[in-house]
Amino acid sequence: MSAITVIGAGYVGLVISACFASLGHNVRCVEPDDRRLGRILEGQLPIHEPGLDDLVGETSGNGTLQFTGVIEESLDGSEFAFMAVPTPSMPDGSSDLSAVMSVADQLKQHADDGTVVVIKSTVPVGTGDSVASILGGRLPVVSNPEFLREGTAIKEFMEPDRIVIGADDDKAGSAVAGLYNGISSEVITTDRRSAELAKYASNAYLAVRLSFINEIALLSQATNADIDSVTRVLATDHRIGPHYLKTGIGWGGSCLPKDVSALEHSGKTAGVETHMLKAAKVANAAQIEFLVSTLKTQLGGLSGKVIGMLGTAFKAGTDDVRESPAIAAAVRLVQEGAEVRVHDPLALERTALAAPELHRVNDVEKLTFGVDALILSTDCPEYRAIDWNRVSQSMKGNFIFDARNALDAQALNSVGLQYAAYGRRLRSN
Ligand SMILES: NC(=O)c1ccc[n+]([C@@H]2O[C@H](COP(=O)([O-])OP(=O)(O)OC[C@H]3O[C@@H](n4cnc5c(N)ncnc54)[C@H](O)[C@@H]3O)[C@@H](O)[C@H]2O)c1
């Protein structure tokens, strides 16, 4: 078993720390933000991720996982140093690599000779080279991009589709692959640059695919076809497959938007026009505009209207509101003069910081009372279980926009609610 330092205790850092510790490695996770570290040490994780509290509790309890704010301490005797620090978008779409470079400087000063530096953060192609040059060749640098999805992150760490190791140094690459012993998965070994690019290509492909199906949904809407039927035809074609073909309010979250922008920026730098990425972004914005214009038409304008929104996280099962399309839509509705009341089972605290202009309500029944329209913007099991008959009696209006194409239109119609979604052909009952 190995001694591992993980730098950054966010979604990725916490998940990989707890998972590596549960595989038996000795993990020290470094978090420089005192408040965040304090909460973690008190047993209160700063993020919501199913199963993570238990895994952190268990591995901290048996001593395989420790947290610290001091990088020097944690690096003492570490064989591996994983970077799990943020790489947010700059205004021009490029990645802000300041945290990565600052960690590289600290590793240069404090890491033992031979410590393998592993870049888990999503970084533009060539970043590993820059980190290696800061380290002056003293420490090998391996790219090991992370593909976990929030909400199912632990399962995806333990049962990944593949583990990607990008290394120009075979010995360091094999050592990193060895950390995953016990996990049954294909290990794809590449050069470092290809691994870096593959991570972006993977996220950008998912964004393009979602934008494509969303565009087909709008076409279905305009031509009186049915997106559910069209999708079924696509999904059963083995060349296409069923995943990431669910139409809805658009893609968001902490990764897809920033990674698409960063890849576009890499294209610009490399002199390659990234037509597909541009189109995917334009199509994504169209989903929110469709929602806003549908509500505007249905309600006879938005000024003074009260609209309830169920779900503010970028998807169900997480409290992450970064680049949430639901919040973007809600803010657009406020700009058009509506009052928007929002609910989310996990993300209301973060919503308050991201969009204070939205009225937060922590009870679904209270939220529906007196609203002119309701939007379902995340596909939470809790919302699927709503008693729509009661909702129809408590609302002022009767219009429901199902922005996740998740609800049963006929069931809603049968209790007097008017249903709209993206490209669903509705049978009248
Ligand atoms: N969240 C995801 O689903 C996901 C999935 C795959 C890859 N990634 C990538 O992983 C990286 C981290 O993402 P995240 O969502 O975990 O971010 P996050 O914002 O949740 O967490 C980052 C953590 O790093 C800490 N940090 C910031 N600067 C630091 C520094 N200089 N030294 C040490 N720690 C520092 C922060 O305080 C925070 O705790 C990003 O590059 C992201 O693109 C994220």
Side-chain angles (χ1 to χ4, degrees), residues 82 99 279 304:
F82 277 75

Side-chain angles (χ1 to χ4, degrees), residues 7 10-12 31-32 36 85-87 122 146 150 255 258 322:
I7 302 146
Y11 283 89
V12 170
E31 174 53 54
R36 205 173 170 94
V85 293
T87 49
T122 304
E146 183 52 62
E150 291 174 19
C255 292
K258 91 170 167 62
R322 288 179 281 185

Side-chain angles (χ1 to χ4, degrees), residues 146-157:
E146 183 52 62
F147 295 92
L148 61 78
R149 281 182 301 164
E150 291 174 19
T152 47
I154 292 175
K155 184 173 187 295
E156 276 164 19
F157 184 97

Side-chain angles (χ1 to χ4, degrees), residues 44 51 53 89 127 149 181 223 303 327:
Q44 284 185 325
D53 283 272
S89 275
T127 304
R149 281 182 301 164
N181 282 346
T223 57
S303 181
I327 289 188

Side-chain angles (χ1 to χ4, degrees), residues 45-167:
L45 295 190
I47 59 165
H48 172 85
E49 185 58 45
L52 189 60
D53 283 272
D54 288 347
L55 204 58
V56 168
E58 196 183 295
T59 49
S60 305
N62 67 24
T64 47
L65 174 59
Q66 292 173 328
F67 292 96
T68 172
V70 189
I71 192 165
E72 296 90 305
E73 243 173 43
S74 79
L75 285 170
D76 191 17
S78 264
E79 299 156 79
F80 299 89
F82 277 75
M83 290 194 195
V85 293
T87 49
S89 275
M90 299 283 272
D92 66 354
S94 63
S95 298
D96 177 353
L97 293 175
S98 54
V100 169
M101 295 310 165
S102 135
V103 171
D105 277 331
Q106 288 169 295
L107 292 174
K108 181 182 179 181
Q109 290 174 54
H110 305 297
D112 294 344
D113 279 344
T115 301
V116 179
V117 173
V118 189
I119 305 182
K120 262 284 172 208
S121 297
T122 304
V123 293
V125 59
T127 304
D129 296 356
S130 310
V131 169
S133 108
I134 290 178
L135 297 171
R138 188 169 71 83
L139 311 174
V141 178
V142 174
S143 165
N144 174 214
E146 183 52 62
F147 295 92
L148 61 78
R149 281 182 301 164
E150 291 174 19
T152 47
I154 292 175
K155 184 173 187 295
E156 276 164 19
F157 184 97
M158 294 299 184
E159 298 165 30
D161 290 338
R162 72 297 203 208
I163 293 162
V164 178
I165 310 279

Side-chain angles (χ1 to χ4, degrees), residues 385-402:
I386 283 175
D387 178 345
W388 292 103
N389 193 17
R390 268 175 90 156
V391 168
S392 74
Q393 285 158 34
S394 94
M395 285 175 68
K396 181 174 160 209
N398 73 342
F399 187 65
I400 310 282
F401 192 101
D402 176 6

